[in-house]
Amino acid sequence: MFPIPLLLLLLTPTILAQTASSKRGLVVVPSSDHPEDDSIWITPPTTLTWYYNYGSRPTSSLSSSNLSFVPMLWGDHNNTFVEDVRGQNDVKWVLGFNEPDMGSNVGGSNIRPGRAAELWKRDIEPLKGDGKDLGAPGVSGSSVGMRWLKEFFEECDGCSVDFIPIHWYGNFEGLASHIGEVRATFPNKTIWITEFGWADQPLAPTQSFFNTTLKYLDRLDYITHYSWFGSFRSDVSNVGPNGAMLNSDGEVTDIGAWYLGRQGEGVKPDNGNSAARVRRGDWVLWGIVYFIIGVWAL
Ligand SMILES: *[C@@H]1O[C@H](CO)[C@@H](O)[C@H](O)[C@H]1NC(C)=O
Ligand SMILES: *[C@@H]1O[C@H](CO)[C@@H](O)[C@H](O)[C@H]1NC(C)=O
Ligand SMILES: *[C@@H]1O[C@H](CO)[C@@H](O)[C@H](O)[C@H]1NC(C)=O
Ligand SMILES: *[C@@H]1O[C@H](CO)[C@@H](O)[C@H](O)[C@H]1NC(C)=O
């Protein structure tokens, strides 16, 4: 006969596997060339429960889905963030600035901690009163980022930060150690990983990083949300092709399928060469046709 605790132990993995997916979200990187790609993320089955798009308003092509939209105040510009958020139903969480410790040349919002604290008090803190959970500024995964964040917390006295969003582009050991440092620095805050990947690696290490990391993040209870940086085609990726969830033809790669909780079909990411070859092939064909027409016209 099974002692009860052992039975529970045997059941736990299934329960974990089911609830784990609820942490999973989408970083929306829209494509003006292929707006149709958006429908891929919300076509069932999907493990995704939430998304953000670096902005304060939902993405219209995703609004028919069940994904919770998480607004972000990206940077330092006068806007109507508080009103924007108050105008939406069902907002539970709000994200602070995107990589304020980084220059705009690399996608950062480039704000000093003191200025960020001023903006926070004006544009984010009021939402705490409405019952939203507030995410700290999402700094880069570097030592500069940690220094920036500590300074922000010193400047932002009386600010109600509920969770710490972090970014990571490196190997698994580095990510685990970074999470450990953030946890040690802010022991009472939950953590979101709002961008992560192992940039510019071959396919096999990228896939094993993906598998190892997701298992790890699903297991840690103080990590409540994460979003893999890869909701784009591999040929336009700025972190190397192999983490992309779509190949250059817009088909779901294995990593894309695994992330969405589907069966991988062996679709490999690529850097667009095959598509380019097809296009070059077309030109050769048309060249021959024009040549024949030209010769015939003579
Ligand atoms: C939203 O969730 C409900 C309940 O789980 C489900 O029946 C419905 O199909 C979902 N809608 C979409 C667009 O995924
Ligand atoms: C931006 O907002 C601040 C505070 O509300 C205000 O003092 C300032 O004049 C605004 N700047 C612009 C350019 O509108
Ligand atoms: C964390 O929370 C505990 C219990 O609420 C409190 O005693 C402790 O001071 C907090 N630690 C920090 C660093 O805020
Ligand atoms: C990653 O996990 C998927 C299933 O989720 C599995 O099919 C695949 O073989 C794994 N790959 C590696 C490299 O671990």
Side-chain angles (χ1 to χ4, degrees):
M1 203 179 92
F2 273 138
I4 301 289
L6 184 55
L7 193 64
L8 279 180
L9 213 63
L10 289 172
L11 289 174
T12 309
T14 7
I15 296 164
L16 273 182
Q18 280 161 5
T19 55
S21 63
S22 67
K23 297 182 181 183
R24 220 167 273 187
L26 190 70
V27 194
V28 177
V29 180
S31 161
S32 48
D33 288 341
H34 301 289
E36 71 276 14
D37 289 354
D38 286 354
S39 69
I40 292 169
W41 318 120
I42 56 173
T43 305
T46 179
T47 53
L48 304 178
T49 57
W50 66 280
Y51 75 98
Y52 79 103
N53 58 15
Y54 300 98
S56 58
R57 296 185 188 167
T59 299
S60 56
S61 54
L62 300 176
S63 58
S64 65
S65 73
N66 286 336
L67 306 193
S68 300
F69 173 62
V70 184
M72 170 187 268
L73 179 60
W74 186 84
D76 181 356
H77 38 240
N78 272 33
N79 66 8
T80 51
F81 190 70
V82 174
E83 289 72 39
D84 272 2
V85 174
R86 286 187 173 152
Q88 297 166 43
N89 295 323
D90 305 327
V91 170
K92 296 196 212 50
W93 309 283
V94 169
L95 292 167
F97 313 101
N98 182 61
E99 300 201 351
D101 57 312
M102 303 293 277
S104 53
N105 56 323
V106 287
S109 59
N110 196 14
I111 313 173
R112 301 189 57 75
R115 173 68 180 152
E118 274 173 37
L119 292 166
W120 178 285
K121 288 175 186 168
R122 191 189 76 193
D123 291 335
I124 298 185
E125 189 65 27
L127 296 166
K128 186 67 197 173
D130 301 353
K132 316 294 183 210
D133 275 356
L134 309 181
V139 295
S140 73
S142 66
S143 53
V144 175
M146 281 305 285
R147 259 203 314 281
W148 191 103
L149 200 55
K150 286 176 193 163
E151 231 180 283
F152 170 81
F153 272 87
E154 280 158 22
E155 300 273 355
C156 213
D157 51 323
C159 298
S160 325
V161 175
D162 296 294
F163 61 92
I164 314 281
I166 64 177
H167 291 179
W168 185 257
Y169 292 100
N171 65 16
F172 172 74
E173 289 70 24
L175 173 61
S177 134
H178 186 53
I179 291 172
E181 186 187 359
V182 173
R183 184 68 181 162
T185 312
F186 307 103
N188 286 354
K189 311 259 184 248
T190 53
I191 297 175
W192 291 29
I193 325 283
T194 47
E195 278 186 22
F196 69 106
W198 191 10
D200 302 308
Q201 297 302 309
L203 186 58
T206 306
Q207 291 186 339
S208 70
F209 169 82
F210 176 91
N211 282 4
T212 309
T213 303
L214 268 71
K215 263 187 219 122
Y216 187 69
L217 301 181
D218 283 339
R219 211 168 54 229
L220 297 177
D221 59 354
Y222 55 84
I223 293 182
T224 60
H225 294 68
Y226 60 76
S227 46
W228 176 257
F229 191 72
S231 68
F232 37 73
R233 297 189 179 202
S234 52
D235 56 328
V236 297
S237 170
N238 62 352
V239 289
N242 290 324
M245 296 204 271
L246 302 175
N247 72 2
S248 65
D249 294 327
E251 296 166 323
V252 179
T253 60
D254 281 344
I255 280 185
W258 300 337
Y259 195 67
L260 298 169
R262 303 173 192 167
Q263 198 74 40
E265 286 169 13
V267 174
K268 301 261 182 297
D270 58 79
N271 51 22
N273 285 343
S274 66
R277 266 201 305 280
V278 171
R279 280 197 295 275
R280 272 199 299 279
D282 286 353
W283 282 111
V284 170
L285 194 68
W286 280 111
I288 292 169
V289 169
Y290 281 121
F291 180 76
I292 291 169
I293 291 173
V295 168
W296 178 76
L298 280 175

